[in-house]
Amino acid sequence: MITSPPRSSNGEGPRDGAGTGGPGNGTGSPGNGTSPGSPGNSTASPGNGSGTPRNGTASPGNGSGTPRSGTGHRRPSEATPYVDLTRAEWSDLRDKTPLPLTADEVERLRGLGDVIDLDEVRDVYLPLSRLLNLYVQATSGLRGALNTFLGESAEQRGTPFVIGVAGSVAVGKSTVSRLLQALLARWPEHPRVELVTTDAFLYPMEELKARGLMARKGFPESYDRRALTRFVADIKAGKEEVTAPVYSHLIYDRVPGERLVVRRPDILIVEGLNVLQPALPGLDGRTRVGLADYFDFSVYVDARPEDIERWYLNRFRKLRDTAFQNPSSYFQRYTQVSEDEALDYARTMWRTINKVNLLENVAPTRGRATLVVRKGPDHKVQRLSLRKL
C-alpha cells in the first residue's frame, strides 16, 4: 500500500535512511504517509546574538491561538498570539547575516518537486537560522541563571536544543529540515546539528500488517510513539549516545539490524507529520509526556490542501520515472502500468489516506508551532507567523 511518494533531495529518488541530515541517495521508494520521500518548550526570549555563521504563509491567527490557513489579512482589532509577517518583512530581519550556501548546495538539499533557490534561502531560511541562533543563545543564558540559582554543587551541563518540523506529506518539510541543518551548522555556537525523521519509528511492516495498519501508515497509531518519545527524551537529558532504528524508503520498511547513532549534538532537528501532537492519555487515564514537550522551538510548514495534492501527484509522476525504476523498489510495480493508472492510484491514496491524515491529525497541530511557514501555490513561502513570547 502506497501512502506517499518518497522524498528526494537530488531528483533521483528519496533518501533511504531514518534521517541523518544528508540529501537522498537515489535508492528510492515512496514515503510512508509521513512525508514525501513526526519537558516544556523554552519560553526564553532571544538574546542579541553576537555570533555570525561561517561562510563556506501562514496567515494571521483566528484569535483562538491557531494561525489561519487562508491568505486574508487580519483586522487590526483582532487579537492573536502570533506576529504575522509578509515574506518581505521577514526577509528584512536577517540583519546582514551572510549566506553561507552555494546554489549547488541548495540544489543538493532541496526535495523532488521543491522550487527552493538562493533567493528563497536568503529571504526565508537565513532569517530563520538567525532567529534560532538567538534562541539557542538565550537558552544558554537561562541555563546560566539556573546554575546561579542551584549553586556549584548542582550545576547543570548544557543539553541539545531540539527543533520540531511538522507539516503534510509533500509540503516540503524535509527540504526545510535539511536547509536548517546546513545553515545552523555554519554558526560557530552550534556546529554539530543532527537531523532525525520520525520514519525510523514507524512499526516494522510485519507489525503493521499484524495490527491491520498498512492502510494507515503515517497515522499516529502506526508509530512506536513510546520509543520515539524516549529517544528524544534521552537526547534532551544529555545522554552521550542515543540510537534509533534506520528506515529505508527503498524497501518501505526498517532495515533489520541497523541503528542510527546520535552523539550529543548541539542541535537536534526532529522532522515528521505528527511531531506536534499532544500525548494521548494512557490506559489508566493519566496524562503522559508527549514528543513536542521536549521541543525548544517548532516549525509548521503550511499550504492549502489542493496545492499539496498537486505537488504530491507531480512528485509521484517524477518518481515513477526515476526511483521507482529500481528493481528493488517496493513501488516498482507502478512502472509496469500506464501513467494514467499509476496516477489514479496515487490520487486515490491522497484522497483516502494522506488528505484524511492531514485534516484529522496534522493540520490541527498547526497552532502548537512556534513558527508557521505558509507556502503559496508555486511552493514559495508567502507569509510567516511567529508566536509571541
Side-chain angles (χ1 to χ4, degrees):
M1 179 69 69
I2 175 174
T3 61
S4 154
R7 286 173 291 209
S8 171
S9 60
N10 57 15
E12 298 177 355
R15 63 171 193 275
D16 65 348
T20 59
N25 59 10
T27 57
S29 88
N32 47 34
T34 65
S35 59
S38 132
N41 292 340
S42 169
T43 57
S45 59
N48 58 11
S50 58
T52 301
R54 293 188 296 268
N55 290 322
T57 52
S59 54
N62 55 15
S64 62
T66 303
R68 288 197 300 257
S69 58
T71 57
H73 292 279
R74 172 183 306 285
R75 293 190 302 272
S77 60
E78 291 186 77
T80 169
Y82 285 86
V83 177
D84 185 55
L85 300 163
T86 65
R87 173 170 171 155
E89 291 169 334
W90 175 266
S91 177
D92 288 342
L93 301 176
R94 65 177 182 266
D95 191 33
K96 300 180 182 178
T97 304
L99 179 62
L101 299 179
T102 66
D104 287 342
E105 287 175 308
V106 171
E107 176 66 22
R108 289 196 296 270
L109 291 169
R110 75 176 181 88
L112 189 64
D114 261 345
V115 292
I116 296 287
D117 55 20
L118 282 178
D119 287 339
E120 185 94 347
V121 174
R122 184 181 297 106
D123 290 347
V124 178
Y125 300 104
L126 200 55
L128 179 52
S129 78
R130 176 176 179 254
L131 175 65
L132 288 167
N133 173 261
L134 293 173
Y135 264 76
V136 172
Q137 292 186 63
T139 301
S140 178
L142 277 180
R143 187 179 305 115
L146 177 62
N147 286 336
T148 297
F149 173 75
L150 293 173
E152 293 183 4
S153 61
E155 186 169 317
Q156 301 295 299
R157 183 183 176 190
T159 60
F161 188 90
V162 180
I163 302 168
V165 179
S168 171
V169 167
V171 78
K173 62 186 179 297
S174 298
T175 299
V176 170
S177 299
R178 289 191 294 266
L179 281 170
L180 285 180
Q181 182 188 30
L183 289 168
L184 289 170
R186 262 65 170 192
W187 290 87
E189 294 87 355
H190 36 72
R192 299 183 60 220
V193 183
E194 294 284 351
L195 169 60
V196 173
T197 75
T198 57
D199 299 347
F201 293 91
L202 285 157
Y203 285 117
M205 190 180 297
E206 288 304 313
E207 180 72 13
L208 291 172
K209 289 179 179 177
R211 297 185 181 212
L213 293 175
M214 280 299 291
R216 292 180 67 81
K217 197 171 182 181
F219 282 68
E221 62 269 27
S222 66
Y223 294 89
D224 187 344
R225 285 174 284 184
R226 178 176 296 181
L228 173 57
T229 302
R230 173 51 53 192
F231 171 80
V232 177
D234 286 345
I235 288 177
K236 194 63 179 171
K239 286 194 174 182
E240 293 296 331
E241 182 175 293
V242 184
T243 67
V246 173
Y247 187 86
S248 169
H249 289 282
L250 178 66
I251 63 175
Y252 200 47
D253 201 0
R254 289 187 186 181
V255 180
E258 289 194 23
R259 303 288 294 183
L260 170 70
V261 180
V262 177
R263 294 183 175 88
R264 200 175 174 84
D266 299 310
I267 296 175
L268 173 71
I269 300 171
V270 183
E271 176 254 307
L273 272 175
N274 303 297
V275 298
L276 291 178
Q277 284 202 322
L280 298 176
L283 295 177
D284 56 4
R286 297 169 61 184
T287 302
R288 309 217 181 255
V289 176
L291 178 64
D293 293 320
Y294 293 99
F295 294 163
D296 298 290
F297 193 98
S298 55
V299 179
Y300 185 93
V301 186
D302 195 21
R304 296 182 185 277
E306 55 268 31
D307 292 330
I308 302 174
E309 177 180 6
R310 188 177 70 258
W311 302 338
Y312 175 89
L313 295 175
N314 286 341
R315 187 185 59 189
F316 185 93
R317 184 183 294 108
K318 292 176 182 177
L319 286 167
R320 182 176 175 272
D321 294 335
T322 54
F324 291 179
Q325 299 290 333
N326 188 323
S328 299
S329 171
Y330 181 85
F331 297 95
Q332 199 264 346
R333 60 186 179 275
Y334 296 112
T335 67
Q336 308 303 310
V337 299
S338 70
E339 181 177 284
D340 287 344
E341 289 179 277
L343 288 176
D344 282 344
Y345 184 79
R347 194 172 290 111
T348 298
M349 290 304 97
W350 168 260
R351 292 175 178 171
T352 61
I353 297 178
N354 291 303
K355 184 178 180 180
V356 173
N357 196 20
L358 168 62
L359 298 180
E360 292 183 358
N361 300 305
V362 183
T365 69
R366 182 175 55 225
R368 293 171 57 84
T370 315
L371 178 72
V372 180
V373 178
R374 171 74 183 180
K375 290 187 172 186
D378 58 358
H379 233 306
K380 292 183 177 293
V381 174
Q382 292 182 334
R383 303 186 70 88
L384 302 96
S385 293
L386 178 64
R387 183 175 288 279
K388 298 173 183 176
L389 290 176

